[in-house]
Structures are given as structure tokens and as C-alpha cells.
Amino acid sequence: MRQNLKSRIWVSQGDNTYNFPEQAIDEVNQKPPIGVCFSGGGTRAMTAAMGQLRALEHLGVIPKIRYISCVSGGSWASSIYTYYRAGAKNDAELLGPVTPAEKITDEHVVNGLKQTQLAYGATKSLNKVIPCSWELPKGWICKTIMKKWKYSSHDVWNYAIGQTYLEPYGLFNSDIAKDRPDELPYFSYDATTVDEIKACNPKLQAKEFLTVRPGRPYLIMNACVLLRPKYHFLFPNAKDIQADLINFEYTPLTVGRPHLKTFQNRFYGGGFIEPFAYGGGVPVAAPLSPPCAESARKLNSAGWVDIPSPSRHYSLTETTGTSSSAFAESFLHYDVTRFNPKDFYWAVKGNGPYCGHKTLFGDGGLLENNGLIPLIQRGVKLAIVFINAATKLDPTYCPNDDQHDDRNNPNGKCDATLPALFGYSNPKWEWYYPHNQVFPSNEFRLVLDALNQKRERNEPMIVTCQHTICENTDWGVNARQEPMLVTWCYLDRYSKWEAQLGSSKIRKQIKQGNKKYIPACMKGPYLDFPNYKTIGQDGDFDLVKLTKEQITLLADFTCDAILMDEEQAILTAIQQVG
């Protein structure tokens, strides 16, 4: 018989007032209200984030950043950066050295990527892991690639991500996962929090917990709930599900979503529970306020609840994989009823009664690919948003004031997640993100103008803009009188960096890779640089795999973009707020 676990529970108020536990921790709350967003985008986003983290470390600004909010490929990078305990001795080994453009040579791109570096996993093919993980007959080919694991089809993607990206850094173990998944480590915030969990739950005394590396920003990994999975297979086009998604978060202290929502007589969100108890049964009683152990802090919670233990505990692999599971859908032709991550979930509906059900989850990028709105919910005053997109910004894209005019379709001209934040949305568009407006529509043109002005000066597209916060009832965001700053960092070419490259060969290859009206097979090794395809950059068979040269060049590019920005927009904005 499974024993109950005692977990803190955080209950949101009906006026969109949220209780976030990290805001009761001095180490977090004493930092300036600044957050960094790493967008989704597979191994392109993972690689770009490595270079961007490298630059932020070089500038010495990480101690001033309170939050990292990430999605999909950005989560692959951020989870490793936050928790790694093997594979690299220090951050310098993990992120690699700063390499100015003039030192980027043919030899450098061939030999620059080391196995210790965070994005090295992008050189591996998921195709050798995923097919042999399905609930299909295991032939000799699969047996030679990987050992059998004891888990369901809903775990296929998550464990493939664990083996491919997390395992080299001590965050996953394939041998344990194959038949003893309950021995995978839990994850939490720090040693003090783990001591409190074990004091309240003596049966966990011998269990291992991953904890955040000292000094790291507080991590938010973003996924979404698929509200209409039973209809999803009838409509394989991605746009058919975008109206029926809601956000879901994983942090070192919590799992859940702050805003309570009702859909088809079911509740979602309303607060959080602790990760070690997630997936367990429904509490039978309201939270108790007295601490379950003398040393335990409430951390803004409503108290503790007794939760029947989950059949298998939740690990960092599940959070990182779920945040990126759009790739599972693409690979599996949207058969979400069998292959998307699936958990038992119950909403934090005040003091109860609570009701739970099996729930399907998906990639956070299907809903909001930048991770910005969770920072707005937390009241940040500056968000540094790295839009590591596959779409270059078309200088001719000039939308009119009608947010829903079909002529304003950003697909193919601008990363569609950006205009959606200003209310530009139309269900006729392939990607349209209908519920994400948090800024007035008239401010979008200001952002586009500022980005294009940087392009005209041959500089990286990094600009800081002031924005008003609009009410958003879908996300539970209240309008704010005080504006916030957003430093928009759009992934795109800038000629100043290319002109300084230490290799004329690479310079020519970049130009060849961005030529229009020629077949992809003739574009060379840097197709669409720096905006590599999310899937199939080097052929569909390789899924999200990149070459060492592609990874080295992209990470150097995103690092140098921050350091070469003459306006030093990121550093200036941080100094203004911090």
C-alpha cells in the first residue's frame, strides 16, 4: 500500500493575486526584478542559448538576474545550466570560451566544440533513441542501440531527451531508467528545502534530490495542457489546437499553473504543489497551516496537504522533456493520445474539494514560445527576451493597425510569437497564438522599427522598449499602471560580424546558405544561418541534430551579438533596473 506524502500547497487568490514560493526566499527576492527568456526552437534554441549564457556570464550580470524562463529547446539548455553536476568542471567548460569574430577560423569551427559544452548533445540523433523506445516489438536492431526500459509510450519523448541531453551532465541515468525509474533523483531548490521535505516525509530520507547550483537565477520551465486531446487526431494541422491550450509550469519548488481555469467542467491551475509529490492522488482534506515539521517554512504556501504517493515520482527529465514535446508530435504525426506526456493532475481549487484526472501535456511553445508571460505574472520590471526563431525578420513586414487583418500574417516574415503578444492574431494563420496579448497593439510597430533600425546600422537586433501591461483574462494577468522594460533580442544576421570573421570561406558559406531561389541541397553547411531549421536542418532523418561546425558558429554568433552591440542594450537595461 502506498503511503501518503506531505506537500506544501500554494493557492492563488480570485483577483489574480498569486503566491509564488521563491518570493519568500531572500536569495531570490533580493535580486533585482529581472528575468531572462530563452525561447523554444529545438537544438537551434539550445545552441543559441549556450552562446547567450556565455555572454551574460562574461558581462558578470548573472547575479543580477532573478529568473530564467524557458521553453522547449531553451529548456534543454536552461535545465542543464541550472542543475548540472557532471560533464563539466565549471561554467567556463560548460559554456565554452568567448571567441571574437576575427578568431573564428576554419580550424576553430571544426575543433571548437568540446564534449563538456552544454550544446554538445545537439550533435546526437534522437532517431536512434525514439523508435526503439516505443511499445513495439523489440528486434535485434533496437537491442543493439539501447536497453529496454519499463515505462509507457507517454514517457518515450521525455526519456529520449534525458538520455540524449541530460545524462552527460549527471541529470539522468539510462541504466536506472530502464527498469528502476523510481530510483531516478527527485529535484528541488536547495539543501534546506530538501531537508524540510525529508523532515515531513521520513520515507524519503534515503532518496536523492538534484538541487540548483549556487547563484543561479530561479528557473521556470514552461509547457502546456492539451485541453482537447480526444479531437486532436482528427485535425492534424497545428492551428486547429491553438485555441484550446493553457500554460503549465515547472520550477525547483513547484508544479502547476497560477491562474484557475475551467474547461468542460474540469478545473486547471489555481496554484502549485511541490515537484516530489506531483502525480500523486487527490488530497482528501484542506491544507493544514501548522508546519508538518518544526524546521519547515511555509514559503507563502497555504500549508501542507496529505497526498497519496504517485506510482512513480516526477524527475527533471519529465519537466525538461514535456516542455519540448512538440517535437514528439511532429515526429509522431500528432498521435497525442498515445505519445504525448500524460500525468495524473488535480487543480488547486482553493481549500477543496479537489478532483483529478489523467491529463495530456505538450510543448510550451505551442502556446507561448518565449516564456515571457510567466515573468509578467511575477511582476518583473525588465525581461530580456531571446527570440531564437527559425524565421528571419523581413524588413518589408509592416503590419497595419488592424490586429486581425489577414494581410498582417507574420508567418514567414516574423516569428509569429512576437506580434501575438501585441494582439496580432487570426485563426486563418498557421501559427496565431490567440490568447497571448499582454501589450497594446500600437506598441508593436515601435518594436519593429527599433529592430529594423539596428539592422540598417549593421548591428545585432537587440533593442530595449518600454511597454504597458494589458489585462489578459486567459492568463490571469492584471493591467499594470507601471510600465515594464523588455529587451528584445531577435536572432538574425548582421553584416558587421560577418565582415570581421577570420575565415573568408565561412563568410562565403554563410552567404551561400542564405541565397534565395536555389535548392537547399546547394546551400552548403550553414543553411539559413543563424536561423537553422527546428527540424531537419541536415535532412529529415536527423530530426533535430546539428553538426559540430553549425553549433560552434551559432553559439559564437549569439555570444558575440551581445558583446558587439554598440548600444550595450542588455547591460544598460540591467543597470537601469538593478
mmCIF file with all atom_site columns, all heavy atoms in Angstrom, residues 99-119:
data_model
loop_
_atom_site.group_PDB
_atom_site.id
_atom_site.type_symbol
_atom_site.label_atom_id
_atom_site.label_alt_id
_atom_site.label_comp_id
_atom_site.label_asym_id
_atom_site.label_entity_id
_atom_site.label_seq_id
_atom_site.pdbx_PDB_ins_code
_atom_site.Cartn_x
_atom_site.Cartn_y
_atom_site.Cartn_z
_atom_site.occupancy
_atom_site.B_iso_or_equiv
_atom_site.pdbx_formal_charge
_atom_site.auth_seq_id
_atom_site.auth_comp_id
_atom_site.auth_asym_id
_atom_site.auth_atom_id
_atom_site.pdbx_PDB_model_num
ATOM 1   N N   . THR A 1 99  ? 34.689 33.860 -28.201 1.00 0.00 ? 99  THR A N   1
ATOM 2   C CA  . THR A 1 99  ? 35.545 33.853 -29.391 1.00 0.00 ? 99  THR A CA  1
ATOM 3   C C   . THR A 1 99  ? 35.147 35.004 -30.297 1.00 0.00 ? 99  THR A C   1
ATOM 4   O O   . THR A 1 99  ? 34.100 34.940 -30.961 1.00 0.00 ? 99  THR A O   1
ATOM 5   C CB  . THR A 1 99  ? 35.429 32.528 -30.162 1.00 0.00 ? 99  THR A CB  1
ATOM 6   O OG1 . THR A 1 99  ? 35.671 31.431 -29.264 1.00 0.00 ? 99  THR A OG1 1
ATOM 7   C CG2 . THR A 1 99  ? 36.437 32.471 -31.302 1.00 0.00 ? 99  THR A CG2 1
ATOM 8   N N   . PRO A 1 100 ? 35.916 36.077 -30.338 1.00 0.00 ? 100 PRO A N   1
ATOM 9   C CA  . PRO A 1 100 ? 35.593 37.203 -31.224 1.00 0.00 ? 100 PRO A CA  1
ATOM 10  C C   . PRO A 1 100 ? 35.561 36.759 -32.682 1.00 0.00 ? 100 PRO A C   1
ATOM 11  O O   . PRO A 1 100 ? 36.202 35.773 -33.075 1.00 0.00 ? 100 PRO A O   1
ATOM 12  C CB  . PRO A 1 100 ? 36.735 38.195 -30.968 1.00 0.00 ? 100 PRO A CB  1
ATOM 13  C CG  . PRO A 1 100 ? 37.324 37.793 -29.662 1.00 0.00 ? 100 PRO A CG  1
ATOM 14  C CD  . PRO A 1 100 ? 37.135 36.312 -29.560 1.00 0.00 ? 100 PRO A CD  1
ATOM 15  N N   . ALA A 1 101 ? 34.830 37.494 -33.494 1.00 0.00 ? 101 ALA A N   1
ATOM 16  C CA  . ALA A 1 101 ? 34.631 37.116 -34.894 1.00 0.00 ? 101 ALA A CA  1
ATOM 17  C C   . ALA A 1 101 ? 35.942 36.902 -35.631 1.00 0.00 ? 101 ALA A C   1
ATOM 18  O O   . ALA A 1 101 ? 36.079 35.957 -36.421 1.00 0.00 ? 101 ALA A O   1
ATOM 19  C CB  . ALA A 1 101 ? 33.791 38.182 -35.599 1.00 0.00 ? 101 ALA A CB  1
ATOM 20  N N   . GLU A 1 102 ? 36.932 37.755 -35.367 1.00 0.00 ? 102 GLU A N   1
ATOM 21  C CA  . GLU A 1 102 ? 38.193 37.652 -36.112 1.00 0.00 ? 102 GLU A CA  1
ATOM 22  C C   . GLU A 1 102 ? 38.968 36.383 -35.785 1.00 0.00 ? 102 GLU A C   1
ATOM 23  O O   . GLU A 1 102 ? 39.863 35.974 -36.532 1.00 0.00 ? 102 GLU A O   1
ATOM 24  C CB  . GLU A 1 102 ? 39.072 38.884 -35.849 1.00 0.00 ? 102 GLU A CB  1
ATOM 25  C CG  . GLU A 1 102 ? 39.469 39.091 -34.397 1.00 0.00 ? 102 GLU A CG  1
ATOM 26  C CD  . GLU A 1 102 ? 38.487 39.948 -33.618 1.00 0.00 ? 102 GLU A CD  1
ATOM 27  O OE1 . GLU A 1 102 ? 37.319 40.083 -34.085 1.00 0.00 ? 102 GLU A OE1 1
ATOM 28  O OE2 . GLU A 1 102 ? 38.874 40.472 -32.567 1.00 0.00 ? 102 GLU A OE2 1
ATOM 29  N N   . LYS A 1 103 ? 38.624 35.717 -34.686 1.00 0.00 ? 103 LYS A N   1
ATOM 30  C CA  . LYS A 1 103 ? 39.304 34.477 -34.306 1.00 0.00 ? 103 LYS A CA  1
ATOM 31  C C   . LYS A 1 103 ? 38.505 33.231 -34.710 1.00 0.00 ? 103 LYS A C   1
ATOM 32  O O   . LYS A 1 103 ? 38.885 32.115 -34.381 1.00 0.00 ? 103 LYS A O   1
ATOM 33  C CB  . LYS A 1 103 ? 39.577 34.467 -32.805 1.00 0.00 ? 103 LYS A CB  1
ATOM 34  C CG  . LYS A 1 103 ? 40.593 35.525 -32.370 1.00 0.00 ? 103 LYS A CG  1
ATOM 35  C CD  . LYS A 1 103 ? 40.993 35.365 -30.927 1.00 0.00 ? 103 LYS A CD  1
ATOM 36  C CE  . LYS A 1 103 ? 42.009 36.416 -30.512 1.00 0.00 ? 103 LYS A CE  1
ATOM 37  N NZ  . LYS A 1 103 ? 43.275 36.301 -31.280 1.00 0.00 ? 103 LYS A NZ  1
ATOM 38  N N   . ILE A 1 104 ? 37.407 33.436 -35.398 1.00 0.00 ? 104 ILE A N   1
ATOM 39  C CA  . ILE A 1 104 ? 36.609 32.311 -35.879 1.00 0.00 ? 104 ILE A CA  1
ATOM 40  C C   . ILE A 1 104 ? 37.169 31.887 -37.236 1.00 0.00 ? 104 ILE A C   1
ATOM 41  O O   . ILE A 1 104 ? 36.940 32.536 -38.259 1.00 0.00 ? 104 ILE A O   1
ATOM 42  C CB  . ILE A 1 104 ? 35.121 32.686 -35.975 1.00 0.00 ? 104 ILE A CB  1
ATOM 43  C CG1 . ILE A 1 104 ? 34.580 33.039 -34.583 1.00 0.00 ? 104 ILE A CG1 1
ATOM 44  C CG2 . ILE A 1 104 ? 34.306 31.531 -36.572 1.00 0.00 ? 104 ILE A CG2 1
ATOM 45  C CD1 . ILE A 1 104 ? 33.153 33.531 -34.575 1.00 0.00 ? 104 ILE A CD1 1
ATOM 46  N N   . THR A 1 105 ? 37.909 30.816 -37.223 1.00 0.00 ? 105 THR A N   1
ATOM 47  C CA  . THR A 1 105 ? 38.591 30.315 -38.410 1.00 0.00 ? 105 THR A CA  1
ATOM 48  C C   . THR A 1 105 ? 38.031 28.953 -38.801 1.00 0.00 ? 105 THR A C   1
ATOM 49  O O   . THR A 1 105 ? 37.215 28.361 -38.077 1.00 0.00 ? 105 THR A O   1
ATOM 50  C CB  . THR A 1 105 ? 40.093 30.183 -38.140 1.00 0.00 ? 105 THR A CB  1
ATOM 51  O OG1 . THR A 1 105 ? 40.278 29.212 -37.082 1.00 0.00 ? 105 THR A OG1 1
ATOM 52  C CG2 . THR A 1 105 ? 40.685 31.521 -37.710 1.00 0.00 ? 105 THR A CG2 1
ATOM 53  N N   . ASP A 1 106 ? 38.493 28.433 -39.933 1.00 0.00 ? 106 ASP A N   1
ATOM 54  C CA  . ASP A 1 106 ? 38.067 27.098 -40.357 1.00 0.00 ? 106 ASP A CA  1
ATOM 55  C C   . ASP A 1 106 ? 38.418 26.056 -39.302 1.00 0.00 ? 106 ASP A C   1
ATOM 56  O O   . ASP A 1 106 ? 37.600 25.172 -38.990 1.00 0.00 ? 106 ASP A O   1
ATOM 57  C CB  . ASP A 1 106 ? 38.747 26.732 -41.685 1.00 0.00 ? 106 ASP A CB  1
ATOM 58  C CG  . ASP A 1 106 ? 38.370 27.679 -42.808 1.00 0.00 ? 106 ASP A CG  1
ATOM 59  O OD1 . ASP A 1 106 ? 37.344 28.371 -42.671 1.00 0.00 ? 106 ASP A OD1 1
ATOM 60  O OD2 . ASP A 1 106 ? 39.101 27.720 -43.806 1.00 0.00 ? 106 ASP A OD2 1
ATOM 61  N N   . GLU A 1 107 ? 39.605 26.157 -38.741 1.00 0.00 ? 107 GLU A N   1
ATOM 62  C CA  . GLU A 1 107 ? 40.031 25.208 -37.713 1.00 0.00 ? 107 GLU A CA  1
ATOM 63  C C   . GLU A 1 107 ? 39.173 25.339 -36.464 1.00 0.00 ? 107 GLU A C   1
ATOM 64  O O   . GLU A 1 107 ? 38.812 24.330 -35.831 1.00 0.00 ? 107 GLU A O   1
ATOM 65  C CB  . GLU A 1 107 ? 41.499 25.442 -37.365 1.00 0.00 ? 107 GLU A CB  1
ATOM 66  C CG  . GLU A 1 107 ? 42.025 24.479 -36.297 1.00 0.00 ? 107 GLU A CG  1
ATOM 67  C CD  . GLU A 1 107 ? 43.463 24.763 -35.907 1.00 0.00 ? 107 GLU A CD  1
ATOM 68  O OE1 . GLU A 1 107 ? 44.057 25.712 -36.456 1.00 0.00 ? 107 GLU A OE1 1
ATOM 69  O OE2 . GLU A 1 107 ? 43.983 24.041 -35.036 1.00 0.00 ? 107 GLU A OE2 1
ATOM 70  N N   . HIS A 1 108 ? 38.828 26.572 -36.120 1.00 0.00 ? 108 HIS A N   1
ATOM 71  C CA  . HIS A 1 108 ? 38.031 26.787 -34.901 1.00 0.00 ? 108 HIS A CA  1
ATOM 72  C C   . HIS A 1 108 ? 36.661 26.124 -34.997 1.00 0.00 ? 108 HIS A C   1
ATOM 73  O O   . HIS A 1 108 ? 36.216 25.462 -34.052 1.00 0.00 ? 108 HIS A O   1
ATOM 74  C CB  . HIS A 1 108 ? 37.868 28.284 -34.637 1.00 0.00 ? 108 HIS A CB  1
ATOM 75  C CG  . HIS A 1 108 ? 36.889 28.592 -33.548 1.00 0.00 ? 108 HIS A CG  1
ATOM 76  N ND1 . HIS A 1 108 ? 37.152 28.351 -32.222 1.00 0.00 ? 108 HIS A ND1 1
ATOM 77  C CD2 . HIS A 1 108 ? 35.616 29.098 -33.592 1.00 0.00 ? 108 HIS A CD2 1
ATOM 78  C CE1 . HIS A 1 108 ? 36.104 28.706 -31.489 1.00 0.00 ? 108 HIS A CE1 1
ATOM 79  N NE2 . HIS A 1 108 ? 35.170 29.153 -32.296 1.00 0.00 ? 108 HIS A NE2 1
ATOM 80  N N   . VAL A 1 109 ? 35.971 26.281 -36.106 1.00 0.00 ? 109 VAL A N   1
ATOM 81  C CA  . VAL A 1 109 ? 34.624 25.703 -36.191 1.00 0.00 ? 109 VAL A CA  1
ATOM 82  C C   . VAL A 1 109 ? 34.669 24.180 -36.240 1.00 0.00 ? 109 VAL A C   1
ATOM 83  O O   . VAL A 1 109 ? 33.703 23.514 -35.837 1.00 0.00 ? 109 VAL A O   1
ATOM 84  C CB  . VAL A 1 109 ? 33.828 26.255 -37.404 1.00 0.00 ? 109 VAL A CB  1
ATOM 85  C CG1 . VAL A 1 109 ? 33.593 27.744 -37.256 1.00 0.00 ? 109 VAL A CG1 1
ATOM 86  C CG2 . VAL A 1 109 ? 34.521 25.930 -38.710 1.00 0.00 ? 109 VAL A CG2 1
ATOM 87  N N   . VAL A 1 110 ? 35.775 23.615 -36.688 1.00 0.00 ? 110 VAL A N   1
ATOM 88  C CA  . VAL A 1 110 ? 35.918 22.157 -36.727 1.00 0.00 ? 110 VAL A CA  1
ATOM 89  C C   . VAL A 1 110 ? 36.230 21.602 -35.350 1.00 0.00 ? 110 VAL A C   1
ATOM 90  O O   . VAL A 1 110 ? 35.683 20.563 -34.934 1.00 0.00 ? 110 VAL A O   1
ATOM 91  C CB  . VAL A 1 110 ? 37.013 21.744 -37.731 1.00 0.00 ? 110 VAL A CB  1
ATOM 92  C CG1 . VAL A 1 110 ? 37.309 20.248 -37.611 1.00 0.00 ? 110 VAL A CG1 1
ATOM 93  C CG2 . VAL A 1 110 ? 36.596 22.084 -39.152 1.00 0.00 ? 110 VAL A CG2 1
ATOM 94  N N   . ASN A 1 111 ? 37.078 22.305 -34.587 1.00 0.00 ? 111 ASN A N   1
ATOM 95  C CA  . ASN A 1 111 ? 37.576 21.770 -33.311 1.00 0.00 ? 111 ASN A CA  1
ATOM 96  C C   . ASN A 1 111 ? 37.107 22.539 -32.085 1.00 0.00 ? 111 ASN A C   1
ATOM 97  O O   . ASN A 1 111 ? 37.480 22.196 -30.964 1.00 0.00 ? 111 ASN A O   1
ATOM 98  C CB  . ASN A 1 111 ? 39.113 21.761 -33.332 1.00 0.00 ? 111 ASN A CB  1
ATOM 99  C CG  . ASN A 1 111 ? 39.668 20.900 -34.451 1.00 0.00 ? 111 ASN A CG  1
ATOM 100 O OD1 . ASN A 1 111 ? 39.216 19.781 -34.658 1.00 0.00 ? 111 ASN A OD1 1
ATOM 101 N ND2 . ASN A 1 111 ? 40.638 21.420 -35.189 1.00 0.00 ? 111 ASN A ND2 1
ATOM 102 N N   . GLY A 1 112 ? 36.285 23.568 -32.260 1.00 0.00 ? 112 GLY A N   1
ATOM 103 C CA  . GLY A 1 112 ? 35.927 24.424 -31.132 1.00 0.00 ? 112 GLY A CA  1
ATOM 104 C C   . GLY A 1 112 ? 34.947 23.818 -30.151 1.00 0.00 ? 112 GLY A C   1
ATOM 105 O O   . GLY A 1 112 ? 34.963 24.151 -28.965 1.00 0.00 ? 112 GLY A O   1
ATOM 106 N N   . LEU A 1 113 ? 34.075 22.921 -30.608 1.00 0.00 ? 113 LEU A N   1
ATOM 107 C CA  . LEU A 1 113 ? 33.065 22.349 -29.714 1.00 0.00 ? 113 LEU A CA  1
ATOM 108 C C   . LEU A 1 113 ? 33.655 21.184 -28.925 1.00 0.00 ? 113 LEU A C   1
ATOM 109 O O   . LEU A 1 113 ? 34.141 20.212 -29.503 1.00 0.00 ? 113 LEU A O   1
ATOM 110 C CB  . LEU A 1 113 ? 31.858 21.867 -30.525 1.00 0.00 ? 113 LEU A CB  1
ATOM 111 C CG  . LEU A 1 113 ? 30.694 21.307 -29.709 1.00 0.00 ? 113 LEU A CG  1
ATOM 112 C CD1 . LEU A 1 113 ? 30.045 22.394 -28.865 1.00 0.00 ? 113 LEU A CD1 1
ATOM 113 C CD2 . LEU A 1 113 ? 29.660 20.648 -30.621 1.00 0.00 ? 113 LEU A CD2 1
ATOM 114 N N   . LYS A 1 114 ? 33.592 21.280 -27.600 1.00 0.00 ? 114 LYS A N   1
ATOM 115 C CA  . LYS A 1 114 ? 34.094 20.228 -26.718 1.00 0.00 ? 114 LYS A CA  1
ATOM 116 C C   . LYS A 1 114 ? 32.927 19.447 -26.120 1.00 0.00 ? 114 LYS A C   1
ATOM 117 O O   . LYS A 1 114 ? 31.818 19.957 -25.985 1.00 0.00 ? 114 LYS A O   1
ATOM 118 C CB  . LYS A 1 114 ? 34.948 20.826 -25.600 1.00 0.00 ? 114 LYS A CB  1
ATOM 119 C CG  . LYS A 1 114 ? 36.040 21.786 -26.082 1.00 0.00 ? 114 LYS A CG  1
ATOM 120 C CD  . LYS A 1 114 ? 36.999 21.123 -27.052 1.00 0.00 ? 114 LYS A CD  1
ATOM 121 C CE  . LYS A 1 114 ? 38.092 22.095 -27.513 1.00 0.00 ? 114 LYS A CE  1
ATOM 122 N NZ  . LYS A 1 114 ? 38.973 21.504 -28.555 1.00 0.00 ? 114 LYS A NZ  1
ATOM 123 N N   . GLN A 1 115 ? 33.214 18.209 -25.710 1.00 0.00 ? 115 GLN A N   1
ATOM 124 C CA  . GLN A 1 115 ? 32.158 17.369 -25.151 1.00 0.00 ? 115 GLN A CA  1
ATOM 125 C C   . GLN A 1 115 ? 31.611 17.919 -23.840 1.00 0.00 ? 115 GLN A C   1
ATOM 126 O O   . GLN A 1 115 ? 30.500 17.561 -23.440 1.00 0.00 ? 115 GLN A O   1
ATOM 127 C CB  . GLN A 1 115 ? 32.678 15.946 -24.948 1.00 0.00 ? 115 GLN A CB  1
ATOM 128 C CG  . GLN A 1 115 ? 32.934 15.198 -26.241 1.00 0.00 ? 115 GLN A CG  1
ATOM 129 C CD  . GLN A 1 115 ? 33.156 13.710 -26.017 1.00 0.00 ? 115 GLN A CD  1
ATOM 130 O OE1 . GLN A 1 115 ? 32.667 13.131 -25.061 1.00 0.00 ? 115 GLN A OE1 1
ATOM 131 N NE2 . GLN A 1 115 ? 33.913 13.094 -26.921 1.00 0.00 ? 115 GLN A NE2 1
ATOM 132 N N   . THR A 1 116 ? 32.372 18.772 -23.168 1.00 0.00 ? 116 THR A N   1
ATOM 133 C CA  . THR A 1 116 ? 31.889 19.353 -21.915 1.00 0.00 ? 116 THR A CA  1
ATOM 134 C C   . THR A 1 116 ? 30.832 20.425 -22.153 1.00 0.00 ? 116 THR A C   1
ATOM 135 O O   . THR A 1 116 ? 30.097 20.779 -21.229 1.00 0.00 ? 116 THR A O   1
ATOM 136 C CB  . THR A 1 116 ? 33.051 19.991 -21.137 1.00 0.00 ? 116 THR A CB  1
ATOM 137 O OG1 . THR A 1 116 ? 33.643 21.031 -21.944 1.00 0.00 ? 116 THR A OG1 1
ATOM 138 C CG2 . THR A 1 116 ? 34.099 18.971 -20.779 1.00 0.00 ? 116 THR A CG2 1
ATOM 139 N N   . GLN A 1 117 ? 30.748 20.949 -23.366 1.00 0.00 ? 117 GLN A N   1
ATOM 140 C CA  . GLN A 1 117 ? 29.879 22.097 -23.613 1.00 0.00 ? 117 GLN A CA  1
ATOM 141 C C   . GLN A 1 117 ? 28.415 21.692 -23.686 1.00 0.00 ? 117 GLN A C   1
ATOM 142 O O   . GLN A 1 117 ? 28.053 20.629 -24.204 1.00 0.00 ? 117 GLN A O   1
ATOM 143 C CB  . GLN A 1 117 ? 30.317 22.823 -24.887 1.00 0.00 ? 117 GLN A CB  1
ATOM 144 C CG  . GLN A 1 117 ? 31.653 23.531 -24.720 1.00 0.00 ? 117 GLN A CG  1
ATOM 145 C CD  . GLN A 1 117 ? 32.099 24.255 -25.967 1.00 0.00 ? 117 GLN A CD  1
ATOM 146 O OE1 . GLN A 1 117 ? 31.297 24.639 -26.812 1.00 0.00 ? 117 GLN A OE1 1
ATOM 147 N NE2 . GLN A 1 117 ? 33.409 24.450 -26.101 1.00 0.00 ? 117 GLN A NE2 1
ATOM 148 N N   . LEU A 1 118 ? 27.599 22.568 -23.200 1.00 0.00 ? 118 LEU A N   1
ATOM 149 C CA  . LEU A 1 118 ? 26.170 22.327 -22.987 1.00 0.00 ? 118 LEU A CA  1
ATOM 150 C C   . LEU A 1 118 ? 25.448 21.851 -24.244 1.00 0.00 ? 118 LEU A C   1
ATOM 151 O O   . LEU A 1 118 ? 24.563 20.993 -24.182 1.00 0.00 ? 118 LEU A O   1
ATOM 152 C CB  . LEU A 1 118 ? 25.569 23.636 -22.470 1.00 0.00 ? 118 LEU A CB  1
ATOM 153 C CG  . LEU A 1 118 ? 24.114 23.777 -22.135 1.00 0.00 ? 118 LEU A CG  1
ATOM 154 C CD1 . LEU A 1 118 ? 23.949 24.865 -21.082 1.00 0.00 ? 118 LEU A CD1 1
ATOM 155 C CD2 . LEU A 1 118 ? 23.300 24.134 -23.357 1.00 0.00 ? 118 LEU A CD2 1
ATOM 156 N N   . ALA A 1 119 ? 25.808 22.392 -25.401 1.00 0.00 ? 119 ALA A N   1
ATOM 157 C CA  . ALA A 1 119 ? 25.097 22.054 -26.636 1.00 0.00 ? 119 ALA A CA  1
ATOM 158 C C   . ALA A 1 119 ? 25.709 20.879 -27.377 1.00 0.00 ? 119 ALA A C   1
ATOM 159 O O   . ALA A 1 119 ? 25.273 20.577 -28.494 1.00 0.00 ? 119 ALA A O   1
ATOM 160 C CB  . ALA A 1 119 ? 25.040 23.274 -27.556 1.00 0.00 ? 119 ALA A CB  1
#
